[in-house]
Amino acid sequence: MGTHSNDNVFAGSIPDLYDTYLVPLIFEPYAVDLASRVASRRPRKVLEVAAGTGVVTRELAKALPNSTVIVATDLNQPMLDRAQAVGAFRPVEWRQADAMQLPFADGEFDVVVCQFGVMFFPDKPGAFAEARRVLASGGTFVFDVWDRIEENEFAHVVTSALARLFPSSPPTFLARTPHGYHERQVIEQDLRLGGFRAEPAFQTVASRSRAASARIPAIAYCQGTPLRNEIEARGRNELSRAIDVCTAATAGKFGPGPVDGKIQAHIVTMEA
């Protein structure tokens, strides 16, 4: 599924809101899981692509010995700026880089890792080919993608509420991009087109998304992601109205707070 032009725009206040609200809401449980998988490979040098505000990077810094080099990259400099401002447990090389054209030598890394980033790549086989190129022989590419939106309750409630608020042109960012790349056959085909020949290992992992109030998921999705760009394009005052509507919808399903919803993702491990 392709992305729209604003789906990759994480700018303005989005990085700070993303890190403050969305990271603890949905990303932290999978960051710990992914870092553990990377550490089990005992790599000497790790490349993280689409690092965002650094939630996985921080877990990698805890899980890996100081002798392991960690290079964390993202296309969006504002996201990296936030990641660097928060920092990590130990030194990390932060670098702006496009996953479609990685500025690294062939075979430079033992592991390439990406948390919830491949869905945003405009040419997924091309990005996979770049990951394969920079992997050493016998290296590992590990990434995760969100399962379909119906398996991720807060995102589904927000998307449904916005469809009712804007029936003539519903904002579809969440279903279209973060939750739009989950079919195993499609992912396997893109990996083959990217030059990987081994059979990928797929694991579906469910977790829980928790917040102190129903308003937190509404703010997290409506203000802390590019969904905000879609909402604001519909009018000056629509963002605050959208947050109120999504808060009410979340409270209607889960109560006003604390709220607890299911999240689910696929973890893909690929040997080079």
Side-chain angles (χ1 to χ4, degrees):
M1 182 175 292
T3 59
H4 289 213
S5 60
N6 284 334
D7 284 3
N8 294 325
V9 179
F10 291 79
S13 62
I14 289 178
D16 288 351
L17 290 161
Y18 174 103
D19 201 46
T20 300
Y21 290 98
L22 206 62
V23 163
L25 187 70
I26 61 173
F27 290 128
E28 283 181 348
Y30 291 102
V32 173
D33 177 273
L34 213 54
S36 175
R37 293 170 190 265
V38 172
S40 72
R41 303 283 169 165
R42 301 179 183 272
R44 293 171 297 176
K45 192 169 185 179
V46 174
L47 172 65
E48 183 184 358
V49 296
T53 57
V55 59
V56 172
T57 320
R58 293 189 286 273
E59 293 300 330
L60 290 171
K62 295 176 190 175
L64 295 169
N66 289 344
S67 58
T68 300
V69 176
I70 302 171
V71 182
T73 68
D74 198 274
L75 177 65
N76 291 277
Q77 188 60 48
M79 297 289 273
L80 281 180
D81 291 343
R82 170 71 184 196
Q84 288 183 270
V86 175
F89 181 73
R90 64 175 179 85
V92 168
E93 180 182 341
W94 305 97
R95 186 164 176 180
Q96 195 277 336
D98 187 346
M100 310 300 304
Q101 294 180 305
L102 292 171
F104 304 107
D106 295 359
E108 188 171 342
F109 297 93
D110 302 303
V111 173
V112 175
V113 58
C114 181
Q115 174 169 260
F116 302 123
V118 303
M119 306 90 75
F120 293 87
F121 298 158
D123 174 9
K124 293 170 181 62
F128 293 159
E130 275 292 273
R132 181 178 176 274
R133 179 185 66 78
V134 302
L135 274 172
S137 178
T140 303
F141 179 34
V142 56
F143 62 93
D144 49 16
V145 296
W146 291 116
D147 201 351
R148 65 195 189 104
I149 198 166
E150 291 82 3
E151 300 291 348
N152 291 269
E153 292 182 314
F154 290 152
H156 187 43
V157 167
V158 165
T159 298
S160 299
L162 292 176
R164 293 190 296 271
L165 180 61
F166 305 108
S168 63
S169 58
T172 59
F173 166 75
L174 294 177
R176 181 178 67 242
T177 300
H179 297 280
Y181 188 66
H182 54 79
E183 294 180 8
R184 178 168 180 161
Q185 287 184 327
V186 174
I187 296 169
E188 288 180 339
Q189 180 181 23
D190 286 345
L191 285 165
R192 287 194 296 270
L193 291 171
F196 286 96
R197 295 290 174 256
E199 186 74 16
F202 276 75
Q203 184 179 3
T204 300
V205 177
S207 188
R208 304 303 299 179
S209 180
R210 298 183 176 92
S213 74
R215 193 165 184 83
I216 289 175
I219 294 172
Y221 286 109
C222 292
Q223 285 192 269
T225 77
L227 176 61
R228 177 176 184 164
N229 303 323
E230 280 194 281
I231 296 169
E232 290 185 324
R234 284 155 175 78
R236 289 181 56 189
N237 300 317
E238 297 296 3
L239 182 60
S240 60
R241 196 159 70 105
I243 291 171
D244 289 343
V245 166
C246 292
T247 298
T250 304
K253 184 172 177 63
F254 301 98
V259 292
D260 183 324
K262 177 187 176 183
I263 47 177
Q264 186 161 293
H266 304 304
I267 291 85
V268 184
T269 305
M270 191 78 236
E271 305 297 332

